Amino acid sequence: MSGPAVALLHGLAGSARRTWGDNAWFDLLADADRETIGVDLMGHGTAPKPHYPEGYADFEQHVIDHFPNEPIDAIGFSLGAYTLLSIASKTPEQFHRLVVSGVGKNLFERDEDHSRMILHAVTGEPDPENPEALHFSTLADDPEADREALAALLASRTAFNTDCLADVAVPTLVVVGDKDFAYPADQLVDALPDARLVVLRGVDHFATPKSFDFIDAALDFLDARPF
């Protein structure tokens, strides 16, 4: 292998296969001779899917259990991104470099209306006038998804502790679309000890994983160009 293994963490109502496999991330990293670790977060994909909030007490540990003993690179989108940031704040030695996408101001500004919108969407009651809600609901319609598990996961979540960001002693690339509800990400970049920012022009939250500009920026940052 030409570099550290790369772990990839998807967003809410996604999966490793849908977010990274279907968008060629695994293939591109394999072409660069990099081992990939596609992690299905609890409540998603092939991972355990408890139907009660207490079942997610080991949410981060489930991710860590997939990691090898040596430092890795990691890429996270949305829920996967702030999961990586939280883990890296506690054990930065586990990582070589981080790429976090689909996060920004949403880590600092708790929007209860937005949270309720997502909950209603993943439980099958989206606002028919809200394209974002309809997209979340469509994601939760996937055969791999479990609406009750997603609702339990959301009920288990607490506000992200932004104080932890000062302890993320890992070179980090922050990627966000300028049409994303998480945009802008300047506050996040400023809070991290060693971070740089890439803004994807004309890209919204859900289009981020398939953005060629995101793929290019991440592969460059991880020195994982296939050719």
Side-chain angles (χ1 to χ4, degrees):
M1 292 294 169
S2 63
V6 184
L8 300 102
L9 276 64
H10 60 83
L12 181 71
S15 70
R17 176 188 61 79
R18 286 190 285 153
T19 301
W20 310 115
D22 290 355
N23 292 309
W25 286 83
F26 292 142
D27 293 336
L28 289 168
L29 287 163
D31 288 345
D33 199 27
R34 301 290 286 272
E35 176 188 354
T36 56
I37 305 167
V39 181
D40 280 335
L41 302 174
M42 288 186 68
H44 300 78
T46 59
K49 300 183 181 72
H51 285 180
Y52 49 94
E54 296 78 11
Y56 293 89
D58 294 328
F59 184 82
E60 290 185 2
Q61 187 60 50
H62 172 78
V63 173
I64 294 168
D65 288 345
H66 288 78
F67 295 168
N69 292 327
E70 62 272 10
I72 61 171
D73 289 334
I75 303 171
F77 169 62
S78 196
L79 174 60
Y82 63 76
T83 300
L84 284 176
L85 290 171
S86 179
I87 293 171
S89 73
K90 303 178 185 78
T91 54
E93 67 276 5
Q94 291 195 95
F95 300 99
H96 179 248
R97 291 192 173 197
L98 291 179
V99 178
V100 294
S101 62
V103 287
K105 71 175 184 180
N106 57 327
L107 298 184
F108 298 86
E109 301 173 6
R110 181 77 170 176
D111 186 336
E112 296 297 340
D113 289 338
H114 192 258
S115 297
R116 279 192 294 272
M117 177 276 291
I118 294 174
L119 176 61
H120 288 306
V122 300
T123 54
E125 299 176 321
D127 177 354
E129 303 299 321
N130 186 325
E132 186 182 326
L134 292 172
H135 198 109
F136 270 116
S137 186
T138 299
L139 289 174
D141 275 334
D142 189 88
E144 280 188 336
D146 182 322
R147 290 185 182 276
E148 192 171 350
L150 293 173
L153 170 60
L154 289 173
S156 76
R157 306 302 293 174
T158 58
F160 186 82
N161 176 18
T162 54
D163 291 343
C164 79
L165 295 171
D167 297 320
V168 182
V170 182
T172 303
L173 179 69
V174 178
V175 183
V176 66
D178 63 1
K179 303 301 183 185
D180 194 324
F181 58 74
Y183 179 81
D186 304 80
Q187 191 174 0
L188 172 58
V189 173
D190 290 344
L192 291 165
D194 182 3
R196 68 182 72 169
L197 174 65
V198 169
V199 176
L200 307 173
R201 302 301 175 189
V203 175
D204 66 17
H205 190 74
F206 302 105
T208 298
K210 65 185 73 173
S211 164
F212 291 121
D213 288 338
F214 175 27
I215 294 170
D216 286 343
L219 296 182
D220 284 342
F221 184 72
L222 300 182
D223 194 20
R225 279 290 183 180
F227 35 70

